Amino acid sequence: MVMRTRQSQRRRQVLSRERIVETAIELLDAGGEGALTVRALTERLSTGAGAIYHHVGNMNELGQAATETVIADALPWLVASGGGAGESGGAEEAGETGGAGETGKAGKAGKAGERAGKAGGSGRAGKAGEPGRAGEVGGSRGPRERPEDRIRAVALGLYDAATEHSWLASRLAAQLTREPWGAVTPRIFESMGRPLRDLGVPRGDWFTTTSTLVHYVLGATSQNAQAADGVPGDAPPDTEEVRAAFLDTASRAWRDLDPEEYPFLHDIADQMRAHEDRAQFLAGVDLILAGVTASRPR
């Protein structure tokens, strides 16, 4: 009896809100929304429901905390200091997000620098294939970085997070439409809005322009995430092969249409089969940015 009491005390000592949220994310990644239950948490954490509710008020709060944690990893430069994605940060934060062209710390925070570098940021190349490949950008928040590059980095951060966590897109969309005052929506609007403002968008158009971009980003990420809805956990090894076969079937179906009735679809069938989702997503962001640039006052 004494031994069991001591074991229970040790479990209570190591149990924390952070650990509960981390476990919730693991359950969501493995099985989707339906996998996040009190029973699953208590079994995974070897504790009781009371101990979990002591740290999180209810399951809805836990789901929100899981969403906020993933977004904090996707947009670390905004979370770290509360500053905008384009403002210069301190040396420690810059290192974590790939600042000053140096390789950032290994881990999720460093991915932000990689995304900014791929989106057009300056700086020397980092080592590809390593966790936290932040060296591809010369300061993901550096003062010389263009607003367009900061927007692309934020967009890719959200896209990659939703690709890694298939449950995330629906939660982001739900908060945007049902609870825009929640922690995540303001963070996304702030990270998109500041660089759009820096592009010279007239003040009266800030909300409309930012909303258009945010809706595109979340809509595209949601569509991409739907492909994984029926595949809980890690994607199977043949995912790319299955996708290629699906696109090939769709492409052949378009090519088989009457070219006089569907001349456009007939012409783009091969492009659809060969497209890459992430590149197509970023091309959509660029189209919006091109419209913003073309319409701003001279």
Side-chain angles (χ1 to χ4, degrees):
M1 184 67 177
V2 174
M3 179 64 70
R4 290 181 180 177
T5 301
R6 289 177 179 174
Q7 290 175 346
S8 299
Q9 290 175 344
R10 282 196 295 270
R11 284 197 295 268
R12 283 196 295 269
Q13 288 172 356
V14 299
L15 189 65
S16 64
R17 179 182 174 86
E18 290 74 18
R19 186 183 172 202
I20 294 172
V21 171
E22 180 181 344
T23 303
I25 293 173
E26 292 173 356
L27 290 171
L28 287 166
D29 288 346
E33 293 282 352
L36 181 57
T37 63
V38 176
R39 179 176 181 178
L41 280 170
T42 56
E43 291 179 354
R44 180 72 67 90
L45 294 169
S46 299
T47 188
I52 292 175
Y53 287 130
H54 174 74
H55 293 280
V56 294
N58 52 52
M59 295 301 289
N60 181 56
E61 179 183 326
L62 178 56
Q64 291 178 345
T67 304
E68 293 168 16
T69 298
V70 171
I71 293 301
D73 287 335
L75 309 177
W77 58 85
L78 187 64
V79 178
S81 65
E87 300 177 1
S88 57
E92 179 180 356
E93 182 184 350
E96 292 182 0
T97 57
E102 298 174 0
T103 302
K105 294 180 181 179
K108 293 182 179 178
K111 292 181 180 178
E114 179 193 4
R115 286 187 291 266
K118 289 182 177 179
S122 59
R124 67 174 182 266
K127 297 178 180 179
E130 293 182 357
R133 297 165 291 177
E136 297 184 14
V137 59
S140 63
R141 298 176 28 154
R144 291 181 297 176
E145 189 184 10
R146 300 183 308 160
E148 297 95 322
D149 297 334
R150 303 198 315 259
I151 291 169
R152 293 186 188 101
V154 172
L156 287 175
L158 294 171
Y159 181 89
D160 290 343
T163 299
E164 182 179 355
H165 308 280
S166 61
W167 51 272
L168 179 64
S170 60
R171 281 192 166 267
L172 292 179
Q175 183 168 129
L176 177 64
T177 56
R178 301 173 188 172
E179 192 182 3
W181 53 84
V184 172
T185 301
R187 186 173 296 158
I188 293 174
F189 265 79
E190 189 73 19
S191 61
M192 291 284 193
R194 290 193 185 189
L196 280 172
R197 176 192 61 187
D198 294 343
L199 278 175
V201 175
R203 186 182 186 91
D205 296 333
W206 284 356
F207 174 74
T208 298
T209 305
T210 305
S211 296
T212 299
L213 185 58
V214 169
H215 279 286
Y216 166 74
V217 168
L218 296 187
T221 56
S222 178
Q223 180 180 356
N224 184 71
Q226 287 177 11
D229 279 349
V231 187
D234 295 334
D238 63 344
T239 295
E240 287 302 318
E241 287 77 7
V242 170
R243 178 182 180 277
F246 172 81
L247 292 177
D248 184 65
T249 299
S251 176
R252 283 188 281 106
W254 282 11
R255 286 199 306 270
D256 290 340
L257 293 171
D258 185 345
E260 292 187 1
E261 187 176 0
Y262 297 98
F264 181 73
L265 289 184
H266 196 269
D267 288 343
I268 67 169
D270 288 339
Q271 296 178 22
M272 187 267 286
R273 178 173 52 83
H275 87 277
E276 197 276 320
D277 291 335
R278 199 169 185 266
Q280 183 187 49
F281 167 77
L282 190 57
V285 174
D286 287 342
L287 284 173
I288 295 175
L289 292 179
V292 169
T293 302
S295 63
R296 67 187 177 189
R298 301 295 180 184

